[in-house]
Amino acid sequence: MSEPIKTDVLIIGAGPCGLFAVFELGLLDMKVHLIDILDKIGGQCAELYPEKPIYDIPGIPMVTGQGLTDALMEQIKPFSPTFHINEMVETIEKIGDPLFRVTTDAGQVFETKVVVISAGGGSFQPKRPPVPGIEAYEGTSVFYAVRKMEQFRDKTLLIVGGGDSALDWTLNLQPIAKRVTLLHRRDDFRAAPHSVEQMRALVKSDKMDLRLGQITELHGENGQLSGAQVKGTDNAMFDIACDTILPFFGLTMKLGPIANWGVKLENNLVPVDTQAFETNVPGIFAIGDINTYPGKLKLILSGFHEGALMAQKAHRYVYPDKRLVFQYTTSSSSLQKKLGVN
């Protein structure tokens, strides 16, 4: 077990509500770490609709999902939060009053006085390809995320998919892998055009391979792959030699380990009070789409409001002996100093 990372507040989920919570907590001098299962910051906004317009953010007539993420990142820059992406929280254990020990699937351990669940509708989890027996290879030669690029050095790598994740990792891993093959069901990609151009240039110069079709069978033993059988677009069968596969078939929303964290659940949502959006466990809060209460609206602006009230209560746990004086950013010189306003 690694040495615990100690922080005032740990936020699970780096979507818009989690990011704005950093701002509210930072104004009250609380240090924050954030964990997200995705390989990027921004939650659903960045992953599912980065270019889709959002029209109901107060004061901003229209902004894209990625644009909102970028603006929030700029807003919280003065507070220097630490992000841990591509990690999923597995356990939350109460070890003090208030103090929690939180562990992730990457083996990272945190000790924090406050936990904020800002996980949208749950955790994004990769969709498993419909290939018989793939479970036997998962974690040894089939991986749904790249945690450390070095893990794939000198591998004969088969990357499956046609979106941004598949193309991005094709381009990033091609220089260090022994050989990369990109497999997609058709010669049409949903990824950024520039990435597709780069991939095609590598294929043309024989630095990687592009094949069209779908995996029907895996070859190997004891969890170690030796190849994959593929049904081509012309229905002909062929084999691709590989010792590692990275399938990128998109993500699905699941409740995940939240059910094991000790918080009360109601129809796969976390009930909270409306005074501070605290769960049944003192010191654990839930904001955004993951929570439920009478009159709840699943709107980003509602999550922003919840984050502001959460921060007021969180301050009592982090600074029990410190009186909290409410201040406005428009008139408080001390808050403006924290924000770097001249």
Side-chain angles (χ1 to χ4, degrees), residues 197-266:
E197 288 174 16
Q198 286 183 283
M199 178 272 293
R200 293 196 188 280
L202 289 171
V203 172
K204 190 174 181 179
S205 60
D206 195 34
K207 292 181 179 176
M208 62 165 284
D209 300 303
L210 171 64
R211 305 299 299 270
L212 303 180
Q214 294 178 280
I215 296 177
T216 58
E217 190 177 319
L218 298 177
H219 304 307
E221 55 185 27
N222 299 322
Q224 181 54 57
L225 283 166
S226 59
Q229 183 184 77
V230 176
K231 183 179 183 179
T233 52
D234 58 358
N235 291 326
M237 309 297 288
F238 60 90
D239 290 333
I240 297 176
C242 60
D243 55 28
T244 306
I245 294 181
L246 282 169
F248 294 105
F249 281 59
L251 299 164
T252 185
M253 190 74 83
K254 293 183 179 179
L255 191 63
I258 294 176
N260 304 319
W261 293 350
V263 297
K264 182 181 176 182
L265 292 175
E266 193 175 285

Side-chain angles (χ1 to χ4, degrees), residues 41-217:
I41 295 163
Q44 294 183 50
C45 276
E47 183 65 27
L48 300 185
Y49 44 93
E51 297 180 0
K52 185 177 177 181
I54 305 170
Y55 299 103
D56 59 358
I57 302 299
I60 307 175
M62 192 283 286
V63 66
T64 63
Q66 189 59 54
L68 178 60
T69 300
D70 294 342
L72 286 164
M73 288 295 288
E74 183 65 27
Q75 188 176 33
I76 65 176
K77 194 180 289 184
F79 304 116
S80 303
T82 303
F83 292 90
H84 306 266
I85 60 175
N86 240 357
E87 291 189 42
M88 180 173 69
V89 170
E90 290 194 326
T91 63
I92 299 177
E93 177 189 2
K94 187 174 175 66
I95 59 172
D97 193 21
L99 194 62
F100 299 93
R101 179 181 292 122
V102 179
T103 59
T104 74
D105 61 347
Q108 189 60 261
V109 182
F110 298 84
E111 288 186 0
T112 180
K113 294 179 180 177
V114 171
V115 174
V116 180
I117 304 171
S118 181
S123 63
F124 283 104
Q125 297 190 12
K127 292 179 182 176
R128 176 183 283 152
V131 180
I134 194 170
E135 298 90 343
Y137 300 96
E138 291 174 346
T140 52
S141 50
V142 171
F143 303 92
Y144 297 104
V146 178
R147 299 203 189 284
K148 294 181 180 178
M149 287 177 56
E150 197 61 29
Q151 178 182 0
F152 301 97
R153 181 173 293 279
D154 299 326
K155 296 291 186 181
T156 304
L157 187 58
L158 176 60
I159 297 178
V160 190
D164 283 315
S165 292
L167 269 291
D168 287 348
W169 286 118
T170 294
L171 298 175
N172 283 316
L173 294 172
Q174 183 274 330
I176 67 171
K178 183 177 181 181
R179 187 73 179 182
V180 171
T181 300
L182 176 63
L183 175 68
H184 189 39
R185 64 183 184 276
R186 63 179 187 270
D187 195 17
D188 182 33
F189 297 88
R190 305 181 311 281
H194 180 63
S195 298
V196 177
E197 288 174 16
Q198 286 183 283
M199 178 272 293
R200 293 196 188 280
L202 289 171
V203 172
K204 190 174 181 179
S205 60
D206 195 34
K207 292 181 179 176
M208 62 165 284
D209 300 303
L210 171 64
R211 305 299 299 270
L212 303 180
Q214 294 178 280
I215 296 177
T216 58
E217 190 177 319

